[in-house]
């Protein structure tokens, strides 16, 4: 646990220093390096695959550092008890980059920390995952887009999951509400199909819908957001039902 906490703290400092360094160099005419970071405090910890959640408030940091066709897009998530939840390390490569269409691929080396109870007490059990992505973005206007994603997740432990995640997101950004308030609205439809490596749990399939809305003040880095997740059909027991997450974010 101490080693995990030290490693997570190192990653937080690394992500933050990378974003700050890159943002300082973005203004240079000799550099094309682009960077940004978003830090959020949310009520229910909905993960990158929205069917899964921490079920408790979470702190999350997402950083993007890119140059040309390549980008590094890590995410680090903690519970409010400062115990690590998950770490994503996405590396993305753009295959096609046009004004109205983008195609990219990516690879993620991630870790998930779940609670594991034994007679001696409660421990954090780390699961390692490799994931592969193919994603396309269609831009119908400067603020309206459709993004489709396919992920192939491969858990590396006998007790972890493997399977597929397919998603489509329609998003409208920069919707003005008066002179100062901006709104972003998105609707996501996604399917998950996961099995355990040891064949003890094959009931992780489902079709879900997940609307999301966020509000911000023009030229101000703080936003508030809400995301809901509703299962349309699923063989997960008990039936996942309805889940909602609200939070506040700060963007560098």
């Amino acid at each position: 646990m101490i080693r995990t906490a030290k490693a997570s703290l190192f990653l937080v400092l690394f992500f933050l220093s990378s974003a700050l360094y890159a943002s300082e160099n973005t203004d240079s005419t000799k550099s094309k390096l682009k960077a940004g970071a978003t830090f959020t405090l949310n009520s229910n910890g909905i993960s990158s695959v929205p069917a899964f959640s921490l079920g408790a408030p979470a702190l999350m940091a997402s950083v993007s550092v890119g140059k040309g066709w390549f980008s590094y897009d890590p995410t680090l998530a903690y519970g409010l008890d400062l115990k690590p939840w998950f770490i994503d390390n996405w590396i993305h490569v753009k295959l096609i980059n046009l004004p109205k269409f983008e195609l990219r691929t990516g690879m993620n080396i991630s870790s998930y920390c779940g609670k594991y109870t034994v007679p001696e007490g409660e421990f954090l059990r780390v699961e390692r995952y490799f994931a592969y992505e193919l994603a396309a973005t269609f831009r119908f206007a400067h603020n309206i887009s459709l993004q489709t994603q396919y992920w192939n997740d491969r858990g590396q432990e006998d007790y972890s999951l493997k399977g597929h995640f397919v998603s489509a997101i329609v998003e409208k950004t920069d919707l003005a509400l008066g002179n100062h308030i901006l709104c972003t609205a998105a609707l996501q439809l996604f399917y998950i199909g996961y099995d355990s490596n040891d064949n003890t749990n094959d009931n992780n399939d489902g079709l879900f819908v997940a609307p999301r809305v966020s509000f911000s003040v023009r030229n101000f880095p703080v936003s508030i957001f809400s995301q809901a997740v509703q299962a349309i059909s699923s063989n997960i027991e008990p039936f996942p039902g309805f889940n909602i997450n609200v939070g506040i974010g700060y963007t560098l």
Side-chain angles (χ1 to χ4, degrees):
M1 175 62 190
I2 294 177
R3 290 182 179 179
T4 302
K6 288 182 177 179
S8 299
L9 179 60
F10 171 79
L11 286 171
V12 169
L13 295 176
F14 174 75
F15 292 168
L16 183 56
S17 61
S18 297
L20 292 174
Y21 173 79
S23 61
E24 289 176 356
N25 283 274
T26 303
D27 295 334
S28 172
T29 57
K30 297 181 180 180
S31 175
K32 296 181 180 179
L33 190 66
K34 297 181 180 179
T38 300
F39 303 90
T40 62
L41 170 63
N42 53 77
S43 64
N44 203 26
I46 292 178
S47 71
S48 305
V49 178
F52 306 114
S53 70
L54 181 62
L59 293 164
M60 301 176 68
S62 298
V63 175
S64 180
V65 180
K67 187 173 183 179
W69 295 75
F70 298 89
S71 67
Y72 173 51
D73 306 293
T75 297
L76 179 63
Y78 268 90
L80 291 188
D81 56 4
L82 298 184
K83 293 181 179 179
W85 174 26
F86 71 84
I87 300 170
D88 281 343
N89 289 282
W90 278 104
I91 298 174
H92 290 116
V93 180
K94 293 180 181 180
L95 303 177
I96 300 174
N97 188 20
L98 299 173
K100 292 187 177 295
F101 177 71
E102 178 183 304
L103 180 67
R104 76 180 187 192
T105 187
M107 181 183 71
N108 182 26
I109 301 174
S110 64
S111 298
Y112 165 77
C113 301
K115 293 181 180 180
Y116 182 64
T117 302
V118 295
E120 292 78 11
E122 187 178 84
F123 298 89
L124 286 179
R125 182 171 68 175
V126 178
E127 301 178 28
R128 299 165 298 163
Y129 283 85
F130 293 155
Y132 307 94
E133 177 195 65
L134 186 65
T137 300
F138 304 85
R139 300 182 183 92
F140 305 109
H142 75 280
N143 63 342
I144 301 176
S145 65
L146 167 66
Q147 184 182 69
T148 60
Q149 293 175 301
Y150 168 74
W151 294 352
N152 187 304
D153 284 326
R154 294 289 150 184
Q156 300 304 298
E157 273 66 50
D158 291 339
Y159 48 81
S160 57
L161 299 175
K162 61 181 179 180
H164 311 280
F165 169 71
V166 182
S167 167
I169 303 173
V170 177
E171 183 178 62
K172 183 176 180 62
T173 62
D174 296 336
L175 178 63
L177 303 177
N179 295 326
H180 303 289
I181 305 299
L182 295 176
C183 174
T184 294
L187 181 64
Q188 180 179 21
L189 182 69
F190 66 92
Y191 168 80
I192 61 169
Y194 287 93
D195 302 321
S196 61
N197 283 332
D198 57 8
N199 297 319
T200 60
N201 183 7
D202 297 333
N203 295 322
N204 291 283
D205 302 339
L207 180 66
F208 298 78
V209 62
R212 178 186 171 97
V213 63
S214 66
F215 299 92
S216 62
V217 178
R218 195 183 300 271
N219 300 322
F220 190 66
V222 177
S223 63
I224 58 173
F225 63 88
S226 178
Q227 180 180 17
V229 181
Q230 173 64 55
I232 299 173
S233 64
S234 175
N235 62 4
I236 299 175
E237 296 182 358
F239 188 76
F242 178 77
N243 200 359
I244 191 168
N245 185 36
V246 296
I248 184 169
Y250 177 82
T251 301
L252 289 176

